[in-house]
Amino acid sequence: MPTNLPTVPNTFVGRESDLDELLRLLVAVRVVTLCGTGGIGKTRLCLSVAREAVEVFSDGVWLVELADLETGERLAQRVAGVLGVQIPPGGDPAETVAAAVGGGEQLLVLDNCEHLIEDSARLCSILLAACPKLRILATSREPLRVAGETVWRVPPLSLVPGKGASDAVKLFADRSMAGGGPAWSAQDEAAVSTLCAELEGIPLAIELAAAMTRVLSIEQIRTRLSDRFKLLTSGSRSAPARQRTLLATVEWSYRMLSEPARLLLRRLTVFRGGWTLELAELVCPCDGLDADEVLTTMAELVDKSLVMADGTVGDAIRYRMLDTVRDYARRQLSDDDDGQELQQRHLDGISWIARKTHDLIATFDRASWPAITHYALIIDAMQPNIYAALAYAGRTRQVERGLRIFTDLQWVVIASGRHDEVIVHVDALLENSAAQPVDLVAQALGIRTVTSFFAGDAVAVERFGSEAVKLGRASGSVTAEVLGSAMLCALGFERDGVSLERAVELCERTGDLYLGGLVLYIKALLSQAAGRHREAQRLFEKLMEEHREANNWAMALAAVGLAQLAHARGDLGVAARHYEYVQELLGPLDIRGERIRCLNGLGRIAIELGDYETARRRLSESLSLNSGLGQRAAAVELVDAFADLALREGEHARAVRLVAAADALRERMGGPLLLGAGARAQDVLAPARRQLGDAMAAQLWAEGRTLPWHQALDYALSTRPLTRSVITVAALPESTLTEREREIAGLIARGLSNKALADELVISPATVARHVSNILAKLGFSSRTQVATWAIEHGLTD
């Protein structure tokens, strides 16, 4: 078939699914425009599609390159020249081309239309109207906006490995070797993958970086990326000047913008990660850009591929820009843009969103739930902006503003489970809060106590909780006193008048249903931990009922508790239904803590059912969700679950290491927040000692206890053996019950008192008391009821 497509100088890497989709589109529609930011690979993808389409179009596939045309006056003549059409003197070039093409089955490829966008659109409209079988494939940084056009946004190269390396890594490897760079091994793939991610999968940036491997190592390239425009300059001499370097590519797009669009692009750099139109309208207006102009100007930036519409959050579009574009736009910030004023407006915008969310939650009205969900999703997606606002408040000594954002978002922060980064900024604010309103500081301390509780940090709970109660009482902040008291009581720090009874009384006095729900949840947890399962069941059901009207998070907490109780009594079907109900309750909300606990619970149920593949998948997903959240208590529970799975699969060595790692992690957090840790260790160690012997079990226990936090989590997720150097063998913990202690545990399960035990075993009551104390300590229990339940589960009553 006739064509003028050029011979490619190197291989086309990746985008196989994109090729297939675009070929199908060319058959179905008249015009396909590949849009995307500079360097994203529009031309290369377009040429690859065109090459595949040669066999489809009987009258030819014709490439018209427009990069060197400075104006549109000779656009039709350029097309005519490619098609071999003679334009008669005085004739209209566009009409002549249309007449020549006529009814032919041709594909016309127009490459680089953006600087001639209106002329390109006009010519396409004429040709499409006159030539019924003509198809047009165009590349541009903005759509042509002609009838019948399908705009196909070219994404960055995939960073996710498919069969082998990702498309981005494959491109880097291919261009590095082609350019004479040194061969690199499979061990280098992780570093290359990280580099490609830092380059955001932009093909031009990846190719330019690959060319640098002739003189720099991969790590050297990474360290110099802080000035990517200076580093990535060695482009192909055959490419148009504006496509030879990363800087030239972005500069070309920037020069094509209207002045309001340039101004908005510069001001949008204040956002971190992404933004919504509502936020942009709050933050970006200034002299030269009114609030009611932000929408149309944003549309221009999206059309020109400098801003991307990146899905939805709530009912709003989320926008973002590539870091490459952001870096360039930040360099263009002038004195007129006033960076300080811009950051202040950003802080004001985040403050407004936080207060709006607070007011909606305070209604405790089911009718407000859609709006609450909307703002909760926006805040969740805008987390980097929250952190940036808190950091700016700290740097500029606006401590009260920063703490107010934190307290306005208290229930969103607590429920989301994302605590690690936010508490860094809040702690910095608290360190400089001496001159701030006492009630505000007290409330912030109360929230910090709750985040510490869910993080499994007993030391921080005691510290922040005590301060919250003290300042709460001094300032009259019920929220601070209740939050501090509830968390202190949860860990057994009941002193100085701190009690759950007083917390309940305060909640009833103020009528704060959210605080009341949290206190009720803690009461239910304590009953569950003490083995009073009927009482816990009643309290969780009460929590569920009291919050049906407005608080899906409290209902989710209750449902997780009911699921755990059902699991404990062996009713796995009911437990699974409760966990599934939690997923329905949360809907689109990414409330990680409860999702993590649900997946953990479903994984444990799968272990009980012998479905180890499902168990591993559920537990792995749960542990992955936990990454970077600060939910260390939940992470330790997951490591325990992986230990149980390893034990069931006969991997005793892995099981011992994991349960030892969990034991050490609890100690680093400040103690076993969740009771029964010793019992779980007992379940693993007893069969491991029988299978492996005491010496090997002790070696494995020592290895597990020395694992750093992140390595322990990685080991839980991995199926590979652990590579460890020889270490000093530590003694096994005294967690395995002696034969006498197992006998006494069985008798406790039969309801015998200490006196009855002494009579039954013909030993003194003091000896019995000592044995019972040892059993409680080794199993990590606090009551005889828990010991009895454990003994029954382990068949010690037979």
Side-chain angles (χ1 to χ4, degrees):
M1 300 295 179
T3 183
N4 69 334
L5 293 175
T7 302
V8 294
N10 46 33
T11 56
F12 180 71
V13 178
R15 299 199 190 276
E16 288 83 2
S17 61
D18 295 345
L19 279 173
D20 294 339
E21 182 178 344
L22 286 167
L23 285 168
R24 288 193 296 270
L25 270 178
L26 281 177
V27 174
V29 301
R30 301 287 309 278
V31 186
V32 176
T33 304
L34 305 185
C35 285
T37 190
I40 204 69
K42 299 182 294 296
T43 295
R44 194 60 193 273
L45 177 59
C46 174
L47 292 178
S48 297
V49 172
R51 195 166 289 104
E52 293 292 327
V54 167
E55 298 300 321
V56 177
F57 294 91
S58 58
D59 293 307
V61 174
W62 306 102
L63 169 65
V64 183
E65 297 183 273
L66 308 179
D68 62 319
L69 284 182
E70 294 183 1
T71 70
E73 294 176 358
R74 293 191 54 78
L75 175 59
Q77 286 92 328
R78 172 66 61 86
V79 175
V82 168
L83 297 178
V85 175
Q86 295 292 325
I87 300 173
D92 181 275
E95 296 294 342
T96 302
V97 170
V101 173
E105 290 187 344
Q106 297 186 21
L107 173 64
L108 187 63
V109 181
L110 302 177
D111 187 31
N112 290 303
C113 297
E114 58 269 2
H115 60 303
L116 309 172
I117 197 70
E118 292 184 4
D119 297 288
S120 298
R122 190 178 304 112
L123 176 62
C124 288
S125 296
I126 293 170
L127 295 179
L128 291 167
C131 310
K133 295 184 179 181
L134 176 69
R135 296 287 192 274
I136 295 175
L137 177 62
T139 72
S140 176
R141 299 189 189 188
E142 63 178 298
L144 295 175
R145 301 199 181 285
V146 298
E149 178 186 32
T150 293
V151 177
W152 202 90
R153 298 282 177 184
V154 179
L157 284 175
S158 171
L159 299 167
V160 179
K163 293 180 179 179
S166 68
D167 286 351
V169 171
K170 289 176 183 176
L171 178 64
F172 185 95
D174 182 88
R175 299 303 189 259
S176 175
M177 288 186 287
W184 45 281
S185 64
Q187 285 74 19
D188 296 320
E189 187 172 317
V192 174
S193 180
T194 301
L195 172 61
C196 291
E198 291 169 345
L199 294 171
E200 303 172 291
I202 300 174
L204 175 61
I206 290 171
E207 293 198 17
L208 293 173
M212 298 302 297
T213 58
R214 292 170 299 156
V215 291
L216 295 174
S217 71
I218 294 166
E219 286 304 322
Q220 285 177 311
I221 294 172
R222 288 190 60 206
T223 59
R224 292 167 183 260
L225 275 185
S226 57
D227 191 350
R228 64 186 66 194
F229 295 117
K230 183 177 180 180
L231 176 68
L232 305 179
T233 57
S234 56
S236 169
R237 294 187 180 91
S238 63
R242 67 171 183 270
Q243 294 177 358
R244 290 179 190 169
T245 71
L246 198 60
L247 176 60
T249 298
V250 181
E251 275 185 335
W252 172 262
S253 295
Y254 185 75
R255 287 201 302 269
M256 291 171 58
L257 295 175
S258 65
E259 188 51 44
R262 293 181 188 181
L263 180 57
L264 179 58
L265 185 70
R266 295 195 300 267
R267 293 180 72 78
L268 287 171
T269 61
V270 76
F271 293 111
R272 302 294 187 273
W275 64 89
T276 62
L277 177 62
E278 183 178 36
L279 262 175
E281 289 174 331
L282 285 170
V283 174
C284 294
C286 61
D287 291 340
L289 183 69
D290 294 334
D292 59 5
E293 296 177 306
V294 170
L295 172 58
T296 54
T297 311
M298 186 87 75
E300 179 182 346
L301 292 174
V302 172
D303 282 347
K304 288 182 165 55
S305 303
L306 289 170
V307 164
M308 294 177 288
D310 192 32
T312 60
V313 287
D315 300 322
I317 297 292
R318 177 180 183 270
Y319 299 96
R320 72 179 181 93
M321 66 176 80
L322 293 173
D323 284 346
T324 299
V325 175
R326 185 172 183 272
D327 287 350
Y328 178 83
R330 282 180 62 84
R331 292 167 185 242
Q332 310 313 307
L333 281 171
S334 62
D335 293 337
D336 294 339
D337 294 305
D338 193 355
Q340 288 295 320
E341 175 268 343
L342 184 56
Q343 290 187 74
Q344 185 62 46
R345 289 189 66 113
H346 180 264
L347 176 62
D348 294 342
I350 297 300
S351 297
W352 185 90
I353 293 286
R355 173 48 58 169
K356 178 74 172 177
T357 306
H358 170 274
D359 292 344
L360 284 167
I361 291 175
T363 63
F364 201 83
D365 182 357
R366 175 59 65 183
S368 299
W369 188 252
I372 292 171
T373 300
H374 170 79
Y375 280 105
L377 288 170
I378 286 177
I379 289 165
D380 188 60
M382 299 297 116
Q383 290 285 325
N385 284 296
I386 306 291
Y387 307 147
L390 293 176
Y392 179 72
R395 288 197 307 272
T396 55
R397 300 295 180 182
Q398 299 182 68
V399 175
E400 183 175 353
R401 291 291 302 279
L403 291 179
R404 191 74 65 188
I405 290 173
F406 183 57
T407 56
D408 280 346
L409 294 177
Q410 68 176 31
W411 295 115
V412 177
V413 170
I414 291 170
S416 73
R418 292 171 173 80
H419 302 150
D420 262 12
E421 187 159 356
V422 72
I423 63 176
V424 171
H425 300 293
V426 171
D427 287 352
L429 292 168
L430 287 170
E431 287 178 7
N432 295 287
S433 63
Q436 305 309 315
V438 179
D439 60 335
L440 176 64
V441 176
Q443 187 176 349
L445 286 166
I447 302 166
R448 271 298 278 120
T449 310
V450 180
T451 61
S452 299
F453 172 78
F454 283 111
D457 190 343
V459 174
V461 168
E462 184 173 16
R463 173 194 162 196
F464 289 120
S466 299
E467 293 182 30
V469 170
K470 178 183 176 181
L471 291 184
R473 289 173 178 173
S475 64
S477 172
V478 170
T479 298
E481 184 175 356
V482 169
L483 291 178
S485 297
M487 299 304 109
L488 287 169
C489 292
L491 299 187
F493 300 130
E494 295 184 79
R495 57 177 179 267
D496 300 326
V498 171
S499 69
L500 276 181
E501 288 70 25
R502 175 167 169 78
V504 170
E505 178 188 336
L506 289 171
C507 291
E508 290 175 348
R509 189 187 306 167
T510 61
D512 191 318
L513 294 173
Y514 290 105
L515 283 177
L518 187 61
V519 172
L520 186 57
Y521 172 66
I522 294 301
K523 288 182 68 175
L525 275 187
L526 290 173
S527 297
Q528 181 183 2
R532 301 191 299 272
H533 288 184
R534 289 185 180 179
E535 179 181 313
Q537 180 89 14
R538 178 181 60 79
L539 291 172
F540 281 131
E541 288 174 349
K542 181 181 180 183
L543 178 62
M544 177 82 74
E545 192 57 38
E546 288 183 353
H547 288 260
R548 284 192 189 279
E549 293 305 313
N551 190 349
N552 283 24
W553 177 57
M555 292 173 66
L557 290 173
V560 169
L562 292 171
Q564 291 170 343
L565 292 173
H567 192 168
R569 64 174 180 264
D571 201 337
L572 302 185
V574 170
R577 285 194 292 276
H578 279 305
Y579 286 130
E580 289 160 3
Y581 179 53
V582 172
Q583 310 281 24
E584 294 175 18
L585 277 173
L586 298 180
L589 293 176
D590 190 11
I591 296 180
R592 291 285 179 95
E594 287 7 278
R595 293 198 188 278
I596 288 166
R597 291 175 183 87
C598 283
L599 290 167
N600 185 4
L602 290 169
R604 287 184 176 276
I605 289 172
I607 291 174
E608 295 285 339
L609 296 174
D611 186 354
Y612 301 145
E613 181 179 346
T614 297
R616 187 176 305 282
R617 187 175 69 251
R618 297 283 197 182
L619 295 176
S620 297
E621 185 179 353
S622 182
L623 195 53
S624 297
L625 284 176
N626 196 285
S627 176
L629 296 188
Q631 296 260 348
R632 292 180 178 83
V636 171
E637 290 298 296
L638 281 162
V639 173
D640 269 329
F642 274 106
D644 189 18
L645 176 60
L647 181 68
R648 301 295 184 97
E649 292 181 320
E651 293 189 71
H652 291 86
R654 176 178 286 272
V656 172
R657 286 194 188 103
L658 287 172
V659 80
D663 181 76
L665 292 174
R666 282 191 181 86
E667 285 185 12
R668 292 171 210 161
M669 291 188 305
L673 290 185
L674 298 177
L675 301 174
R680 287 190 286 273
Q682 155 79 10
D683 291 344
V684 171
L685 286 173
R689 277 174 152 165
R690 290 193 296 270
Q691 182 75 22
L692 304 171
D694 285 353
M696 177 58 73
Q699 172 71 32
L700 295 168
W701 178 267
E703 290 178 2
R705 282 189 58 82
T706 60
L707 286 177
W709 171 268
H710 292 294
Q711 192 174 349
L713 301 187
D714 290 343
Y715 182 55
L717 285 171
S718 173
T719 57
R720 297 190 300 271
L722 181 68
T723 302
R724 300 285 289 167
S725 58
V726 177
I727 59 175
T728 302
V729 177
L732 280 171
E734 291 298 328
S735 58
T736 303
L737 301 188
T738 65
E739 286 303 316
R740 174 65 87 180
E741 288 165 351
R742 291 172 66 84
E743 181 182 12
I744 290 175
L747 293 173
I748 290 174
R750 288 165 51 188
L752 273 67
S753 65
N754 278 11
K755 184 177 184 305
L757 282 167
D759 294 340
E760 175 77 15
L761 300 174
V762 195
I763 56 178
S764 71
T767 301
V768 170
R770 187 170 64 254
H771 281 309
V772 172
S773 178
N774 288 341
I775 292 169
L776 290 171
K778 289 181 179 182
L779 298 181
F781 290 151
S782 62
S783 72
R784 295 167 67 95
T785 303
Q786 291 171 290
V787 174
T789 301
W790 179 85
I792 292 169
E793 290 174 348
H794 289 76
L796 300 185
T797 58
D798 298 337

